[in-house]
Structures are given as structure tokens and as C-alpha cells.
Amino acid sequence: MKFGSGTCILNVGGIKYAFPRDVIKDFPLRRVSRLHGCVSEKEVLEVCDDYDRERNEFFFDRHSEAFGFIMLYVKYGKLRFAPQMCELAFYNEMIYWGLESAHLEFCCQRRLDDRMSETYTYYSEEDTKTEDELRVEEEGEHPAGRGRRSAKWLERMRRTFEEPMSSIAAQILASVSVIFVIVSMVILCASTLPDWKTAENRSVDEHRIIEAVCIGWFTAECIVRFIVSKDKCKFMRRPLNIIDMLAITPYYISVLMTGLTGENSQLQRAGVTLRVLRMMRIFWLIKLARHFLGLQTLGLTLKRCYREMVMLLVFICVAMVIFGALSQLLEHGLDLEMGNEDYASIPAACWWVIISMTTVGYGDMYPITMPGRVLGGVCVVSGIVLLALPITFIYHSFVQCYQELKCRSARCGRSLSAELLD
């Protein structure tokens, strides 16, 4: 720390905490770490409420019990609400010290979202800044003011591209991106129509231009989001970003093969590999999850309910094997000469079981013996019951995820979509 030396003492609401000055530099609480860059008493007083030079003691007129729980987060990495304290008051303390709602444990995040939904109260970091701090940021008086403005600009750009509801510019950008996704999907679907293939020679130039413009937009968007991202490695590991790259890459592979081999588009589409790569552009529809709350809710629900989904699959697989073996025995195994050939094997019977349990009933195969029909009725009823058992848990999780995402989006805070992307 440039101002003061030796041991630093934090006095928060009358309770003192002593730290070596080297610890202050990388302290997890942003307000405390800012003390390391202070070079004068004036700058120190912009961060804390009072300062004692002789004892190198910094005074903060804040809630001491709340800070104690925040210090437990610094020590153990888990942050929970203080007992007998309002959630909104504790959250206000969190913002003051530089923490966000995402640092809370999941159960406490739910409590905070419910309380904010009830009171329609939303906090932001700007609400806790003093007039001196705002003046310093606006006028650039702090020695690190220029760097802060640059970081603030990058953060604004990141939120513009990652959080569609964060600003007017973000909403416009999201709308344009959605339009390009829709246009690209329309062209992809229309290109499989017989009439389109017949008239393709007349409109090949227009088709290529529109496709190139869409790909150019998606490529530029992906590059900008990569540049303004905080963690480049984490950005590359996110599922939606991987899907973006998988959707963009086939176009450039196709263009490269055209340049190297000199083949026309008709010969390229004849290749199985290129046709598969071309069809991978359908994954662009998943990009809409960045802009629509409903798709984010669906993805987050599936992520949180993976145990229930696995349980549902286990139920179906066990029932499918049991009913498949019994139906094969009743329809074919007991009478090999006059048996139902549609049930000649257990795998074939399993197909009938799955379409019966899900109440689809294509009618392509069905039992003809009386025992087989009785088994079919039991199979249908069992399928309804088995499918309904985990649905309640999934439904409640979906409602909960929707309320959380809606609340986070309303206060323009750190969105729960990050949990989905991660």
C-alpha cells in the first residue's frame, strides 16, 4: 500500500480486523483492495469514512455483523445472509464492499430474488457510490482513472453483447442478431425445397450474398464478444460459444474447399461431409437463447434437473426392456409359425413399447393376441404413470428458474444465464 505502512486495521462498526499490507492488495473485497492504490489521505477518505494515520486504522461506518458474514465468505468462500437481518439491507452491504448477488449461495439467491420481487426494489453498484467517487470517475482525477474508464468501457461493451436487456443499444443489437438468425434459417430451409433447387441457377448470386452477409455478422459478433470477454479460456469453453463456432466454421470450410478444388456448389453439396457441415447451421437457432428469457429458462431447467431427467430415462428404459421381452414372448415366442412377425425380436418389440408408453401410437405395429392386447393396455397406463412422476419436479424447477431469470433481468444485474452458458 502506498499510503500507510505495516499492519492495516479495518474498523467496521466498532469491530477491528488487522491485515498485513500485502494482503490488502489482492483482497477479495473491491472496496478494501482500493486502499492499496491510495497515495494521499484525501484518496483514502474517498474509500473509507475516517482514517487514523498514527495507528494506520481505517474506519467504515457500516453494519458490523453483516461485515462479519462477508469476512466468512473471504475466508471460506461461502456467503450467506446474516440471521435476523433484512435480505435487502444485507445485499446493500454486499454492494458497498464490492460483491454481487451471484456470490451468494443458491438458497440465499432465491430468498433475495423473492424479496426483491415482493418489494420491487433493485440495487446497483452506482447506488452505493459517494459523490466524491462519482466525481473522481467523471473527471478522471484519480491516477488510475483512465484505466478505470477503459475497464468500464469494456464492461459496458461486454454487457451490450451478453445482456440484451442491459441498454437500448443492447436491445437493438439483439434485435439485429435475431433478424440475421431468422433470415439464415429461412434460407437454409428453403434451400432444401425442390423448387428452390430448380431456380437456384437463376438466384445463386443473391443466395450467396445473403449467406455471406449473415455469416459475416455472426463472425464479427463472435470476435467482438471474444475480445471484450473477461476470461478468454472460459469464453472458449462455454457451450453456446462452441455452438457458434461450429455453426460458422462449415461456411469457411466450404469456401476453402471451393478455392482449393475449384468445384462448384452443386458438387460440394453432393459430399456427405459438406452436407452435414452445412446442416450444422441449424444450431444458430440456439443463439436465440441469448435474447429470449424462455429459452434461457428451458436450458437452466434442464441443467438443474439433470438428475430427474436421468431418473425418467431409467424408468423408461427399464419398462421398455420388460414390456418388450413380454410382448415378444406373447406375440411371437409362444407360436413361432403363426406368431406376429412385427414382434420377431425384442428390439423390434421395444419400438412398439416406447411409442405406446409415450401415447404416440403410430399404428405401424400392434398386438393381435388377447394376452398381447392386455399387456399393451398395461404398458400404456404404466407409461403415463412413469412419465408423470418426475414431471412435477421439473415443472416446479422451471417456474423457479423463470422467476429468478425474470427478476435478474429486471434489475439488470448479473444474469443467471451465465450459469447456463457455463
Side-chain angles (χ1 to χ4, degrees), residues 35 43 56 75 139 177 185 246 248 258 290 348 357 396:
L35 293 172
E43 294 180 1
N56 198 28
K75 186 175 182 180
E139 299 178 3
S177 182
M185 289 301 99
L246 290 177
I248 294 172
T258 301
R290 301 183 187 277
M357 292 182 65
H396 287 298

Side-chain angles (χ1 to χ4, degrees), residues 185-198:
M185 289 301 99
V186 170
I187 292 178
L188 179 62
C189 296
S191 63
T192 60
L193 295 174
D195 295 339
W196 176 278
K197 294 178 181 180
T198 303

Side-chain angles (χ1 to χ4, degrees), residues 3 5 16 44 48 54 81 140 158 185 231 285 292 366 372 392:
F3 186 76
S5 59
K16 298 181 181 181
V44 171
C48 61
E54 295 180 359
F81 287 129
R158 186 193 67 80
M185 289 301 99
D231 190 340
L285 285 175
F292 290 100
Y366 50 87
T392 303

